[in-house]
Amino acid sequence: SYSFCTLLINKMGCGTSKKSHQQVVHFDSQTKQPKEAPVKEVAAVNLNTGMDVTPVEKLVLNGHPLSQPCRSLQWYIDYSGKEVDVHFVNVFGGEHKSNSYLKKHPRGQVPTLEVDDEFFLSESTAILNYLSEGGALAPKNLKEQTKLNEYFGRHLSSIRKMTVEVFFYGMFGKENKEEKMAAGFEIVKPELKRFDSILSKQDYVLGNELSLADFMFAPEVDQLQFLGLLRDFPNIQKYLDRLTKNVKGYQKCWNGAEEVVMKFKASQSTKSP
């Protein structure tokens, strides 16, 4: 009804996700005077999207810091202060293929977000959208949401190739490693040139303000530094430096990747040929 909608707007403020309360006046049967009634809690609703954003009791992110999507999500959690339990999945020990984990993610991959015992998310962009709903970086209107969706589509179809076609071979390749990495780099080079040009004109991926797109983009490209492949893209390097200096959680995100890569390289060097 109109009065209920008005109550929500007055209590919550347009576009917020604060909880609202509906009050009913009760009268004392003897004194006939009004008395306070129990407050009935109603779901918190984001008025921009109409979605219920009432917090769940506990969120659990299953991941591994060598996974670029996992690092993106861990960075967002650190940046936003979102209350999420992070569970380290021992992928090198095969935990992601265990029966218990496959119930959460049938393809046996990371990341996976556990919302409750029945609801799991396994695509990083979907998880990021879920975690950011009602937050400061959530898109504020249809135009912002559409631009973000456009980037997410490009990310999954092309930016992710920086891992699949380049980083994978550089780190884990055995046969024809250098040739495969070089061929992969030729595939992703046009995207690197494109974003190097974009970042020469603006501070972040979608403009001069930080957005959720940066949380996906940066952990994908920064790993190429381990292979010495960003030297010809000065504006991307400046962008990563900008994140390090100005954006909460990014340095921790990078340090986590660096630690895992160094440990992996050390373990490989100690193995007998």
Side-chain angles (χ1 to χ4, degrees):
S1 67
Y2 172 80
S3 60
F4 180 68
C5 292
T6 303
L7 174 66
L8 277 179
I9 292 173
N10 289 339
K11 289 289 185 180
M12 296 164 57
C14 185
T16 69
S17 59
K18 296 179 181 177
K19 287 197 173 183
S20 62
H21 299 86
Q22 184 178 15
Q23 286 188 298
V24 178
V25 177
H26 292 263
F27 292 87
D28 188 284
S29 59
Q30 295 181 350
T31 66
K32 307 301 182 184
Q33 296 298 312
K35 65 178 182 179
E36 290 189 6
V39 176
K40 181 180 179 182
E41 194 174 80
V42 296
V45 178
N46 184 311
L47 296 186
N48 288 324
T49 64
M51 290 189 286
D52 181 350
V53 291
T54 305
V56 296
E57 289 187 6
K58 182 177 70 171
L59 296 171
V60 179
L61 178 69
N62 299 281
H64 189 284
L66 196 56
S67 159
Q68 292 72 38
C70 291
R71 290 199 289 124
S72 293
L73 298 171
Q74 176 69 72
W75 174 22
Y76 178 77
I77 290 169
D78 291 337
Y79 172 86
S80 66
K82 188 86 174 180
E83 292 188 11
V84 181
D85 290 342
V86 179
H87 170 68
F88 176 85
V89 178
N90 184 8
V91 295
F92 292 112
E95 181 184 349
H96 59 307
K97 299 299 182 182
S98 66
N99 290 333
S100 61
Y101 189 80
L102 290 173
K103 292 178 182 178
K104 306 170 186 176
H105 194 319
R107 288 178 291 158
Q109 298 174 346
V110 291
T112 299
L113 182 71
E114 300 179 42
V115 179
D116 55 40
D117 293 337
E118 298 179 350
F119 184 51
F120 306 97
L121 291 173
S122 57
E123 289 294 338
S124 55
T125 52
I127 294 173
L128 187 58
N129 272 327
Y130 185 91
L131 292 177
S132 64
E133 176 62 30
L137 293 184
K140 298 176 181 62
N141 51 54
L142 181 60
K143 181 178 179 181
E144 289 188 8
Q145 183 67 67
T146 303
K147 290 299 293 182
L148 181 63
N149 289 344
E150 181 180 50
Y151 171 77
F152 280 169
R154 191 173 195 92
H155 182 90
L156 296 173
S157 65
S158 60
I159 306 299
R160 279 292 287 154
K161 290 182 180 179
M162 295 179 193
T163 293
V164 179
E165 303 289 349
V166 183
F167 186 71
F168 178 85
Y169 292 116
M171 286 296 299
F172 307 107
K174 295 181 179 179
E175 297 182 3
N176 302 318
K177 172 179 176 178
E178 297 299 329
E179 292 85 347
K180 290 179 179 179
M181 188 173 71
F185 187 63
E186 290 303 312
I187 294 174
V188 304
K189 189 182 290 185
E191 283 298 301
L192 289 170
K193 288 183 177 179
R194 177 174 177 269
F195 277 96
D196 196 66
S197 176
I198 289 173
L199 291 167
S200 71
K201 305 178 185 73
Q202 59 194 45
D203 289 342
Y204 298 102
V205 170
L206 295 185
N208 286 318
E209 300 292 333
L210 186 73
S211 74
L212 296 178
D214 295 288
F215 286 83
M216 297 303 300
F217 178 76
E220 205 71 48
V221 298
D222 65 11
Q223 63 191 341
L224 298 183
Q225 295 175 101
F226 294 121
L227 305 174
L229 296 177
L230 285 186
R231 286 189 290 265
D232 294 331
F233 305 98
N235 295 307
I236 292 179
Q237 289 184 312
K238 291 177 183 177
Y239 162 77
L240 296 175
D241 290 340
R242 193 176 305 119
L243 293 176
T244 300
K245 295 176 182 177
N246 300 331
V247 182
K248 179 183 176 182
Y250 177 70
Q251 182 65 60
K252 179 181 176 181
C253 171
W254 167 253
N255 290 345
E258 188 174 40
E259 180 181 356
V260 173
V261 168
M262 293 303 105
K263 284 182 178 179
F264 177 78
K265 287 185 175 180
S267 69
Q268 295 300 105
S269 65
T270 57
K271 292 183 178 179
S272 58

